[in-house]
């Protein structure tokens, strides 16, 4: 009786399938680790998000004026060694004042757009590089300042630790350390870990991949 020969690869994974599975496994492991690092950072950070009325050049210029006013107003919110929870409470207590300051700046510029200030959780931010530090993409708590319709391009930075406040005279590392960042976290955001921006971009791509899978 003749035995049929099994076709090569009919019951075994092909090389390209193995390579694909291996790539997915490595990405999953790396993505999980990167996601954990981002979550740990997010627990210590409050972002600042200023959103323009529109993309009209005048509205974009107005956004920067409001930004400068908010940064000035927020400069006296934080004392040395404040915890994130204390910073969040300080911001919450001053939301009305911040919105009023923004509205005053808008009025002085000749516009009548309303301005709102809110502290919101789970706000998505892409990977962002600043002058001497960077933060990975992910969800953060954010102080959101919305001008008018809030339909224009936005500006974002970090209000706690106060890395973007003009009144801060410490280095990024000193400011982050006073807010409870570990040495590894400080090295991560300041670029002492070589390739940190590439690492953050990998984290962002992984998050997008996960979102794509969930929506399939």
């Amino acid at each position: 009786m003749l035995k049929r020969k099994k076709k090569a690869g009919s019951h075994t994974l092909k090389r390209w399938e193995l390579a694909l599975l291996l790539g997915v496994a490595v990405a999953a492991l790396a993505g999980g680790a990167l996601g954990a690092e981002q979550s740990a950072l997010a627990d210590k950070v409050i972002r600042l998000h200023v959103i323009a009325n529109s993309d009209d050049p005048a509205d974009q210029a107005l956004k920067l004026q409001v930004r400068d006013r908010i940064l000035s107003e927020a400069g006296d919110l934080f004392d040395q060694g404040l915890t994130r929870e204390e910073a969040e409470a300080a911001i919450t207590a001053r939301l009305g004042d911040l919105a009023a300051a923004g509205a005053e700046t808008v009025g002085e510029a000749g516009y009548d757009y309303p301005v709102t200030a809110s502290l919101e959780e789970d706000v998505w931010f892409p990977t962002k590089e600043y002058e001497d530090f960077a933060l990975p993409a992910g969800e953060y708590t954010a102080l959101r300042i919305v001008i008018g319709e809030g339909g224009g391009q936005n500006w974002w930075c970090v209000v706690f630790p106060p890395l973007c406040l003009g009144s801060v005279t410490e280095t990024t590392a000193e400011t982050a350390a006073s807010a409870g960042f570990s040495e590894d976290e400080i090295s991560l955001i300041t670029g002492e870990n070589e390739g940190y921006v590439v690492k953050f971009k990998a984290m962002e791509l992984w998050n997008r991949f996960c979102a794509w899978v969930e929506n399939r």
Side-chain angles (χ1 to χ4, degrees):
M1 183 175 180
L2 295 175
K3 294 183 179 180
R4 294 183 179 179
K5 293 183 178 180
K6 294 181 180 180
K7 293 182 179 179
S10 60
H11 295 287
T12 59
L13 291 174
K14 298 177 181 178
R15 288 183 179 178
W16 69 267
E17 292 174 323
L18 284 170
L20 179 60
L21 286 175
L22 180 60
V24 170
V26 170
L29 290 172
L34 292 171
E37 287 185 88
Q38 186 277 327
S39 295
L41 282 173
D43 288 341
K44 299 180 179 180
V45 169
I46 300 175
R47 306 290 291 264
L48 175 60
H49 196 195
V50 183
I51 308 170
N53 177 67
S54 74
D55 283 335
D56 181 86
D59 283 345
Q60 286 295 309
L62 180 63
K63 173 193 70 178
L64 298 180
Q65 294 178 48
V66 172
R67 172 204 65 185
D68 292 344
R69 179 66 182 275
I70 296 300
L71 290 175
S72 176
E73 292 290 324
D76 63 350
L77 282 176
F78 309 119
D79 297 323
Q80 181 74 17
L82 210 63
T83 66
R84 184 192 178 281
E85 291 72 21
E86 292 168 337
E88 187 170 326
I91 292 171
T92 300
R94 291 283 298 278
L95 288 175
D97 294 338
L98 293 173
E104 183 178 22
T105 299
V106 168
E108 290 172 350
Y111 299 88
D112 60 357
Y113 302 140
V115 177
T116 61
S118 60
L119 194 64
E120 301 183 15
E121 297 181 352
D122 302 328
V123 179
W124 171 262
F125 289 86
T127 298
K128 179 64 177 177
E129 294 179 68
Y130 299 95
E131 184 176 347
D132 54 0
F133 71 98
L135 285 176
E139 294 180 339
Y140 294 82
T141 296
L143 168 59
R144 301 184 80 230
I145 309 295
V146 181
I147 306 168
E149 296 294 328
Q153 295 182 44
N154 51 75
W155 181 90
W156 55 76
C157 199
V158 182
V159 71
F160 185 84
L163 300 176
C164 297
L165 301 185
S167 59
V168 175
T169 58
E170 298 175 319
T171 66
T172 294
E174 290 171 336
T175 302
S178 67
F181 277 49
S182 68
E183 290 185 6
D184 287 343
E185 288 169 336
I186 293 171
S187 295
L188 182 65
I189 69 169
T190 58
E192 293 179 20
N193 288 342
E194 187 176 355
Y196 73 133
V197 173
V198 173
K199 188 175 185 180
F200 289 171
K201 285 295 185 181
M203 187 185 302
E204 183 173 350
L205 290 173
W206 174 252
N207 288 333
R208 289 181 179 178
F209 173 75
C210 290
W212 176 80
V213 170
E214 290 177 359
N215 293 325
R216 293 292 290 173

